[in-house]
């Protein structure tokens, strides 16, 4: 099969999207990587990436799609989905680019191994938390991580907890009756932000829910970003199968991470397109949505004790998830005076953590860091990777919005 | 005239590199390709090199050198042009996005001096601090540059109240094709000092010179704004409403027409849940709270007289912004309806608006293609979308239909372009649009650019400029 035919096949239904683009450039205006010190170059913008595909499929760009330089340019899309909101013809830009990147994926064996078994890898490390943390904190460990996995050595990761959230829930679950929630925790919360997960579980249990932890793998966003489409589909299928069983037994799916929410709500139905993933999507609700529902049903109210300023950072995934208005409403009900910042932090999941793109990610995030430092108030940001980037580079306190909101909640 | 121009050689690249530094030029295939097409559904025309100058002097040196070497030079700002102003003859592409600074704000005089590469919305965001704004408001405002707007005499949604770009350009620093730098205009609103060369430059689409500094007059931000939508049982009723609002001198800031199919398109794009109807008008008023309320009241009366089935007023800024975002994305969103589309940009005297709309549908029927109409009806500007769902064979028919409408428009005293310009796309109409005056335009082009190195093939065929 010739290279064009192969690429056409790989892009599948997204090939239509390539031609839907009229090059208006609206996506450039919101795309974080198209508003940097390097995006004066058209090829390093969102519209530029689509033009490259149009040129390739019209035979103008005479290079194979897996060409290294070309792939590096496509890789400047880190999948934040801000463009989906503004693209008038509805070009599904990140989904299309994941396919295009799949054609040119070029990971070494170790990278591939770690990316596709990221969840198991984290699990392994969490079995030896102090050893893992010592390695992660040490210069040697950081260099090793950079050499082996390509994670930039300048990044400080949150530590592994002594016990994973999954284990904690199994040991400490206080209620087995009531409305059922199957918690799709995702890897990061499970091993690094256990405290947040515990707060979530305690609150929903008080509200009369019972929380279960289904078998689950990582959400798989990382695999999509890395162009490992086949692996992403496999992981999505496994997760859907597992969650589907819980739904059949009357449970709803709970998330607290926007990456997990987006995967279940939008990505899985998009990449699998089957009825099970659509049902999982319908039955997924984020803790933020749950709180809104409980508030509207009169089950919770907010005490007046909180005041003070909070900076609400619009993480890309929260914007794309449609949860923003609920978070803002809850923070306001909780008594905080909100200052909103729209700028992207530049992390883009694992994209900005890589050695290759860490400097780019600082470039993207530079305006945000300056702003946050000058405002010097606590920050609320829903995305876990945004919190890492903000903590590391703006040096300010940053928490999941739930942590601020839950402090003000009073049960009826 | 193949072979008229010289190709960019290794020596030329060296010259440009020495002038600009290696970061400010590219010959990478990917960069050339992404600068080879704009938003016009035309072909790719690759430049041989892309340059990013940062000063007027650098632009001048590039032009002087290219002029002597007979290398064609094209210009690009936001690349949102809709008429195909791309490097037909290859050569150098000057991308102006690095010249994007606000040089001076004369707050008391309500003026600003900018470099050409600043994006329209970025400028207005900055001007908010002074309670000022640059009003034309093209739908592409989040991407297009001030240089591109001046070169296209762009306008947009608020032209009915505020006019077009040319009404705001007070001064220009222009680098001429041979590299000379001239300053045109003045910092005063009026002057009577000979030929108005400044206005001649506005709308010249990169064929007469490169604008490197632009002085704009500004307006105060309106104190109060209200936006409303009305839905009509027929196109006739909607157009009649527009006519009566304008004829009665009601001070609307915008009055946009959207037809039945386009209501569905914009509604789907921004998830607006607009009701089905034959036509919709989107109206905005600016002023004091009292004046805006009076304006809206008068509009509503006329709408009701014309049997508007539903009238809604945006309840907050969020809703207003959503409505405008939907309208601004209407043209590209049309691709939700079909794969192939071209857009016309005709303007007619407002008494001819209804005929123009009905005629467009009639032409569509004649050619067996789909037609959608939207437009800035307050100033008689129609955007007719000629579309074909998936039949590539029909592209020729789309162009024929477009041509038929354009000729009719000229016959009734209108213009083939209200705001997008001529570019490559509408060259064929220039002679019928202008008659003898077209030759005067050619003479001006020959006088300023006798070797035709600046944007050859745009507005004029190269063969007509150089024999
Ligand atoms: C979705 C969409 C909506 C649009 N809506 C509108 C609208 O409402 N109203 C409207 O008027 N237009 C509209 N347009 C057309 C287009 O956006 C305008 O013509 C705009 O002014 C072009 O600006 P640009 O910076 O993108 O210019 P470009 O496309 O980069 O260039 C356009 C022309 O300007 C010339 N040029 C650029 N910079 C300079 C300079 N510094 N000196 C001299 N010449 C220069 C170029 O040579 C070229 O001929 C729309 C386009 C799109 C895609
Ligand atoms: S917003 Fe959509 S149509 Fe416009 S350039 Fe981007 S992908 Fe293309
Ligand atoms: S998904 Fe994000 S990074 Fe990718 S093109 Fe869209 S806005 Fe840019």
């Amino acid at each position: 099969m010739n290279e064009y035919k192969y690429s056409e096949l790989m892009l599948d239904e997204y090939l239509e999207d390539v031609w839907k683009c009229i090059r208006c450039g609206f996506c450039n205006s919101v795309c974080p990587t198209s508003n940097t010190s390097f995006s004066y170059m058209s090829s390093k913008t969102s519209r530029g990436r689509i033009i490259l595909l149009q040129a390739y499929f019209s035979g103008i760009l005479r290079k194979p799609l897996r060409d290294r330089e070309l792939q590096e340019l496509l890789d400047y899309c880190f999948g934040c989905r801000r463009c989906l909101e503004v693209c008038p013809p509805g070009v599904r830009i990140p989904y299309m680019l994941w396919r295009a990147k799949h054609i040119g994926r070029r990971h070494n064996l170790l990278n591939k191994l770690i990316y596709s078994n990221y969840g198991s890898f984290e699990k392994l490390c969490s079995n030896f938390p102090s050893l893992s943390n010592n390695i992660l904190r040490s210069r040697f460990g950081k260099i090793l991580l950079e050499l082996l996995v390509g994670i930039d050595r300048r990044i400080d990761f949150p530590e592994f907890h002594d016990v994973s959230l999954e284990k904690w829930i199994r040991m400490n679950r206080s209620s087995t009756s009531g409305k059922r929630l199957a918690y799709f925790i995702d890897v990061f919360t499970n091993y690094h932000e256990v405290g947040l997960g515990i707060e979530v579980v305690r609150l929903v249990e008080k509200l009369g829910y019972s929380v279960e932890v289904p078998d689950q793998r990582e959400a798989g966003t990382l695999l999509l970003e890395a162009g490992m489409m086949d692996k992403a589909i496999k992981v999505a299928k496994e997760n859907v199968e597992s969650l589907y069983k819980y739904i059949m037994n009357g449970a709803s799916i709970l998330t607290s991470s926007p990456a997990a929410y987006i995967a279940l709500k939008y990505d899985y139905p998009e990449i699998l397109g089957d009825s099970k993933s659509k049902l999982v999507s319908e039955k997924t609700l984020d803790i933020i949505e749950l709180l809104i529902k409980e508030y509207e049903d009169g089950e919770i109210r907010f005490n007046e004790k909180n005041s003070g300023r909070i900076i609400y950072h619009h993480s890309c995934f929260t914007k794309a998830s449609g949860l923003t208005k609920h978070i803002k409403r809850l923070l306001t009900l909780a008594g905080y005076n909100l200052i909103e910042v729209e700028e992207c932090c530049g992390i883009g999941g694992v994209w900005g953590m890589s050695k290759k793109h860490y400097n780019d990610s600082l470039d993207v995030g530079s305006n945000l860091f300056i702003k946050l430092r000058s405002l010097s108030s606590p920050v609320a940001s829903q995305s876990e990777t945004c919190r890492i980037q903000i903590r590391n580079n703006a040096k300010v306190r940053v928490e999941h919005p739930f942590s601020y909101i839950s402090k003000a909640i009073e049960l009826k | 005239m193949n072979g008229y121009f010289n190709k960019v050689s290794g020596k030329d690249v060296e010259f440009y590199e020495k002038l600009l530094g290696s970061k400010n030029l590219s010959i990478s295939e990917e960069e050339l390709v992404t600068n080879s097409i704009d938003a016009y559904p035309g072909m790719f025309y690759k430049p041989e090199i892309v340059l990013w100058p940062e000063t007027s002097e650098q632009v001048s040196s590039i032009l002087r050198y290219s002029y002597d070497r007979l290398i064609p030079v094209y210009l690009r700002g936001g690349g949102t042009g809709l008429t195909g102003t791309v490097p037909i003859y290859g050569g150098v592409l000057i991308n102006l996005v690095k010249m994007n600074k606000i040089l001076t704000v004369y707050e008391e005089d309500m003026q600003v001096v900018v470099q050409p590469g600043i994006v329209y919305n970025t400028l207005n965001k900055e001007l908010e601090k002074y309670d000022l704004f640059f009003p034309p408001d093209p739908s592409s405002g989040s991407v297009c540059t001030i240089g591109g707007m001046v070169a296209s005499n762009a306008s947009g949604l608020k032209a009915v109240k505020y006019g077009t770009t040319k009404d705001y350009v007070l001064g220009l620093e222009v680098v001429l094709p041979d590299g000379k730098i001239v300053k045109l205009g003045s910092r005063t609103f009026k002057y009577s000092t000979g030929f108005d060369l400044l206005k001649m430059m506005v709308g010249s689409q990169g064929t007469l010179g490169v604008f490197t500094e632009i002085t704009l007059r500004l307006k105060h931000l309106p104190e109060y704004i209200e936006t409303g939508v009305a839905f009509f049982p027929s196109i006739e009723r909607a157009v009649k409403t527009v006519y009566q609002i304008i004829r009665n001198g009601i001070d609307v800031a915008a009055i946009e027409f959207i037809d039945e199919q386009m209501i569905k398109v914009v509604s789907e794009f921004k998830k607006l849940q607009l009701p089905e109807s034959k036509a919709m008008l989107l109206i905005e008023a600016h002023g004091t709270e009292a004046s805006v309320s009076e304006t809206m009241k008068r509009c509503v009366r006329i709408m009701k007289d014309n049997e508007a089935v539903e009238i809604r007023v945006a309840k907050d800024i969020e809703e207003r912004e959503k409505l405008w975002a939907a309208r601004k994305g209407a043209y590209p969103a049309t691709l939700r309806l079909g794969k192939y589309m071209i857009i016309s940009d005709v303007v007619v005297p407002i008494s001819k608006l209804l005929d123009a709309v009905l005629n467009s549908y009639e032409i569509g029927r004649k050619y067996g293609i789909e037609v959608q109409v939207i437009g800035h009806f307050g100033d008689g500007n129609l955007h007719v979308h000629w579309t074909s769902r998936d039949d590539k064979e029909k592209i020729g028919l789309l162009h024929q239909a477009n041509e038929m409408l354009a000729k009719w428009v000229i016959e009734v005293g209108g213009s083939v372009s209200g705001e997008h310009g001529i570019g490559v796309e509408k060259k064929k109409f220039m002679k019928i649009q202008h008659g003898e005056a077209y030759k005067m335009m050619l003479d001006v082009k020959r006088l300023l650019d006798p070797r035709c190195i600046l944007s050859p093939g745009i507005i004029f065929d190269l063969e007509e400029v150089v024999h």
Side-chain angles (χ1 to χ4, degrees):
Chain A
M1 192 185 315
N2 78 23
E3 128 91 10
Y4 285 116
K5 276 272 155 284
Y6 172 70
S7 304
E8 276 183 8
L9 262 174
M10 285 313 299
L11 254 87
D12 197 15
E13 59 178 295
Y14 298 99
L15 189 60
E16 289 234 327
D17 288 43
V18 173
W19 298 117
K20 258 197 212 164
C21 167
I22 72 127
R23 303 170 298 275
C24 66
F26 286 12
C27 49
N28 281 3
S29 65
V30 296
C31 171
T33 61
S34 305
N35 290 280
T36 62
S37 64
F38 50 80
S39 38
Y40 65 92
M41 300 184 79
S42 309
S43 56
K44 288 194 174 167
T45 63
S46 173
R47 175 180 51 185
R49 291 185 276 276
I50 319 293
I51 296 180
L52 286 172
L53 291 180
Q54 292 186 336
Y56 169 77
F57 284 110
S58 358
I60 302 289
L61 184 65
R62 294 179 184 279
K63 278 185 166 191
L65 204 46
R66 52 173 196 287
D67 174 82
R68 184 184 287 271
E69 263 175 72
L70 183 53
Q71 281 290 330
E72 286 196 349
L73 291 169
L74 300 183
D75 200 29
Y76 274 94
C77 168
F78 57 35
C80 72
R81 299 141 211 252
R82 285 190 186 222
C83 51
L84 294 176
E85 182 69 11
V86 299
C87 173
V91 177
R92 294 163 293 177
I93 303 173
Y95 295 98
M96 178 167 92
L97 287 171
W98 289 330
R99 298 261 170 174
K101 285 201 239 175
H102 180 72
I103 296 167
R105 70 198 184 287
R106 198 178 275 115
H107 304 293
N108 64 35
L109 211 66
L110 188 68
N111 254 331
K112 255 193 223 163
L113 200 73
I114 292 176
Y115 278 10
S116 40
N117 297 288
Y118 153 67
S120 319
F121 183 67
E122 285 259 343
K123 188 173 183 177
L124 179 73
C125 295
S126 78
N127 284 333
F128 312 98
S130 30
L131 177 67
S132 303
N133 289 335
N134 281 336
I135 295 177
L136 268 183
R137 271 195 301 258
S138 71
R139 198 175 139 67
F140 166 74
K142 287 183 175 202
I143 293 174
L144 199 69
L145 205 64
E146 184 175 289
L147 290 174
L148 295 180
V149 196
I151 298 290
D152 194 280
R153 68 181 74 174
R154 286 167 287 179
I155 293 176
D156 286 327
F157 278 105
E159 302 194 335
F160 284 95
H161 276 247
D162 295 342
V163 59
S164 70
L165 179 59
E166 196 177 340
K167 229 184 240 168
W168 184 92
I169 296 175
R170 291 206 173 108
M171 288 180 326
N172 295 283
R173 204 147 80 107
S174 62
S175 154
T176 48
S177 59
K179 294 165 275 181
R180 297 180 61 187
L181 289 175
Y183 194 176
F184 186 69
I185 302 173
D186 207 8
V187 174
F188 192 82
T189 317
N190 199 22
Y191 302 116
H192 302 281
E193 285 197 331
V194 177
L196 171 71
I198 293 174
E199 276 182 64
V200 168
V201 174
R202 285 203 171 124
L203 182 72
V204 295
E205 282 187 343
K206 279 189 206 149
L207 286 165
Y209 292 89
S210 71
V211 180
E212 296 158 87
V213 186
D215 284 342
Q216 56 192 278
R217 293 197 55 180
E218 60 277 22
T221 321
L222 175 69
L223 297 168
L224 288 170
E225 278 169 26
M228 295 168 74
M229 209 61 203
D230 41 358
K231 296 276 185 301
I233 289 175
K234 186 165 171 274
V235 166
K237 273 189 184 149
E238 282 179 40
N239 281 332
V240 165
E241 277 306 327
S242 170
L243 299 177
Y244 183 76
K245 284 185 210 134
Y246 283 79
I247 292 171
M248 287 295 106
N249 284 323
S252 295
I253 313 298
L254 176 72
T255 61
S256 56
S257 142
Y261 181 79
I262 288 219
L264 302 190
K265 206 84 188 161
Y266 305 112
D267 291 350
Y268 289 1
E270 182 75 36
I271 62 176
L272 300 179
D274 61 350
S275 57
K276 283 186 182 172
S277 59
K278 284 180 189 145
L279 186 68
V280 169
S281 163
E282 267 168 41
K283 290 285 177 190
T284 296
L285 95 166
D286 190 81
I287 180 65
I288 294 294
E289 288 172 305
L290 186 140
L291 291 183
I292 286 280
K293 185 182 163 303
E294 294 297 323
Y295 174 73
E296 284 176 352
D297 291 349
E299 297 300 326
I300 56 176
R301 57 173 183 257
F302 292 90
N303 63 39
E304 308 284 306
K305 278 177 255 159
N306 284 295
S307 62
R309 203 164 78 158
I310 287 222
I311 300 166
Y312 175 61
H313 168 246
H314 288 260
S315 85
C316 298
F317 271 14
T318 311
K319 266 174 171 279
S321 70
L323 293 172
T324 305
K325 59 178 184 297
H326 298 319
I327 298 178
K328 277 165 53 182
R329 185 169 169 211
L330 289 170
L331 283 168
T332 310
L333 284 167
Y336 296 103
N337 171 15
L338 290 195
I339 296 185
E340 296 178 45
V341 288
E342 296 271 350
E343 288 87 345
C344 171
C345 72
I347 196 80
V350 86
W351 180 90
M353 294 185 189
S354 67
K355 181 173 162 46
K356 198 161 112 197
H357 288 304
Y358 189 63
N359 284 339
D360 294 333
S361 92
L362 297 184
D363 190 332
V364 176
S366 55
N367 286 338
L368 175 72
F369 309 144
I370 295 169
K371 213 171 196 179
L372 293 183
R373 269 185 235 124
S374 72
L375 287 167
S376 72
S377 293
V379 180
S381 181
Q382 203 203 6
S383 155
E384 47 273 54
T385 46
C386 294
R387 293 197 290 275
I388 296 181
Q389 177 89 330
I390 290 172
R391 241 172 244 138
N392 284 344
N393 295 293
K395 311 281 180 211
V396 291
R397 179 183 157 210
V398 51
E399 309 285 345
H400 190 297
F402 176 84
S403 303
Y404 298 105
I405 294 162
S406 62
K407 285 192 185 71
I409 288 179
E410 282 178 359
L411 302 184
K412 225 175 72 179
Chain B
M1 291 202 45
N2 271 346
Y4 170 73
F5 290 112
N6 286 318
K7 293 265 161 224
V8 176
S9 67
K11 261 199 150 151
D12 299 326
V13 176
E14 261 174 42
F15 170 83
Y16 297 127
E17 182 164 2
K18 212 161 151 206
L19 178 71
L20 304 171
S22 59
K23 269 199 148 179
N24 285 340
L25 111 183
S26 176
I27 48 168
S28 100
E29 186 63 9
E30 285 82 355
E31 195 52 33
L32 301 181
V33 158
T34 47
N35 279 285
S36 67
I37 194 161
D38 56 12
Y40 172 66
M43 287 173 21
F44 289 84
Y45 287 101
K46 268 190 294 181
E48 293 156 68
I49 187 166
V50 180
L51 308 178
W52 290 276
E54 295 185 83
T55 63
S56 309
E57 289 67 32
Q58 287 178 342
V59 174
S60 163
S61 301
I62 296 168
L63 283 181
R64 198 177 319 116
Y65 180 83
S66 310
Y67 188 83
D68 288 345
R69 282 273 301 120
L70 200 57
I71 293 172
V73 176
Y74 291 87
L75 313 174
R76 187 174 173 102
T80 64
L82 286 169
T83 59
T85 49
V86 292
I88 304 168
Y89 290 94
V92 167
L93 183 127
I94 302 184
N95 190 317
L96 289 141
V97 293
K98 276 200 167 183
M99 292 180 70
N100 62 354
K101 294 179 191 57
I102 296 178
L103 299 174
T104 319
V105 180
Y106 295 105
E107 189 177 357
E108 287 181 353
D109 294 325
M110 296 167 62
Q111 294 173 6
V112 67
V113 185
V114 296
Q115 288 188 313
I118 187 164
V119 169
Y120 176 80
N121 280 3
T122 312
L123 173 63
N124 270 347
K125 184 96 205 112
E126 202 51 37
L127 291 173
E128 262 176 29
K129 291 182 195 153
Y130 306 92
D131 244 356
L132 295 170
F133 80 123
F134 171 43
D137 201 14
S139 297
S140 52
S142 61
V143 198
C144 72
T145 63
I146 302 299
M149 285 180 68
V150 176
S152 321
N153 189 18
S155 63
L157 309 160
K158 315 282 160 57
V160 59
K161 181 177 173 76
Y162 295 103
T164 68
T165 298
K166 76 171 177 323
D167 303 317
Y168 293 85
V169 183
L170 288 179
L172 284 177
E173 178 186 82
V174 185
V175 181
L176 298 174
D178 63 2
K180 253 187 244 103
I181 301 181
V182 293
K183 300 229 179 207
L184 306 175
S186 129
R187 280 225 300 118
T188 55
F189 178 46
K190 56 190 262 189
Y191 48 83
S192 174
T193 50
F195 296 167
D196 197 346
L197 298 179
L198 173 84
K199 291 283 150 76
M200 184 181 78
M201 287 289 166
V202 179
S204 59
Q205 291 199 289
T207 57
L208 299 182
V210 186
F211 314 143
T212 44
E213 254 183 56
I214 299 162
T215 307
L216 299 169
R217 60 196 277 256
L218 306 168
K219 289 276 180 192
H220 256 292
L221 278 171
E223 190 182 303
Y224 193 77
I225 299 177
E226 208 161 277
T227 311
V229 282
F231 300 88
F232 293 86
S234 71
I235 288 171
E236 285 80 355
R237 290 284 164 195
V239 178
K240 207 165 159 203
T241 302
V242 176
Y243 182 77
Q244 288 172 352
I245 287 174
I246 302 297
R247 189 68 186 83
N248 283 295
I250 300 175
D251 180 27
V252 282
I255 180 158
E256 292 290 311
F257 171 92
I258 301 177
D259 80 359
E260 186 175 12
Q261 275 202 64
M262 289 307 293
I263 295 174
K264 288 186 195 141
V265 168
V266 298
S267 190
E268 185 188 305
F269 165 39
K270 280 288 159 192
K271 301 182 183 73
L272 287 171
Q273 286 156 347
L274 299 173
E276 286 191 13
S277 66
K278 289 285 173 206
M280 162 184 157
L281 293 179
L282 174 53
I283 293 195
E284 188 161 286
H286 293 176
T288 60
E289 191 168 351
S291 73
V292 165
S293 140
E294 181 55 28
T295 301
M296 285 310 238
K297 241 191 251 157
R298 291 180 70 192
C299 288
V300 167
R301 212 173 302 136
I302 294 176
M303 289 166 179
K304 284 192 174 152
D305 287 348
N306 282 301
E307 297 163 11
V309 278
E310 195 178 326
I311 300 171
R312 294 182 190 171
V313 174
K315 60 178 185 307
D316 50 26
I317 295 180
E318 209 174 304
E319 195 173 331
R320 180 197 310 149
E321 283 179 351
K322 215 167 162 184
L323 281 168
W324 282 119
R327 168 57 191 92
K328 288 182 177 185
Y331 157 60
T334 312
L335 280 181
R336 288 168 186 259
L337 287 177
K339 264 191 192 164
Y340 306 104
M341 170 180 56
I342 58 169
I343 180 175
S344 80
D345 172 38
V346 294
V347 207
V348 292
I350 56 162
S351 62
K352 300 282 184 228
L353 263 176
L354 182 59
D355 289 348
V357 181
L358 299 179
N359 201 7
S360 302
Y361 292 123
E362 187 51 40
I363 293 173
R365 267 192 294 277
K366 181 167 177 262
Y367 284 101
I369 56 177
E370 287 189 48
V371 176
Q372 300 83 34
V373 182
I374 55 172
H376 318 304
F377 272 26
D379 46 47
N381 194 182
L382 275 85
H383 294 311
V384 182
H385 303 162
W386 313 99
T387 49
S388 161
R389 278 183 198 256
D390 45 21
D391 189 352
K392 206 173 178 179
E393 303 300 308
K394 286 196 173 163
I395 295 180
L397 298 179
L398 307 183
H399 285 283
Q400 284 175 36
N402 192 25
E403 202 165 325
M404 189 165 187
L405 178 69
K407 285 183 179 153
W408 176 82
V409 163
I410 295 172
E411 267 169 34
V412 300
S415 299
V416 291
S417 177
E419 51 186 27
H420 297 165
I422 298 298
V424 169
E425 187 210 9
K426 300 190 197 78
K427 272 193 288 193
K428 53 180 177 270
F429 303 125
M430 283 295 277
K431 283 182 194 151
I432 32 174
Q433 176 83 69
H434 296 292
E436 275 299 302
Y438 175 67
K439 287 194 195 136
M440 286 169 72
M441 287 195 202
L442 258 177
D443 285 341
V444 173
K445 169 71 181 169
R446 287 194 197 113
L447 184 72
L448 293 180
D449 186 13
R451 307 188 88 186
C452 197
I453 63 130
L454 196 54
S455 303
I458 311 299
I459 303 185
F460 313 100
D461 283 331
L462 173 64
E463 295 79 359
E464 286 199 281
V465 184
V466 287
H467 302 292

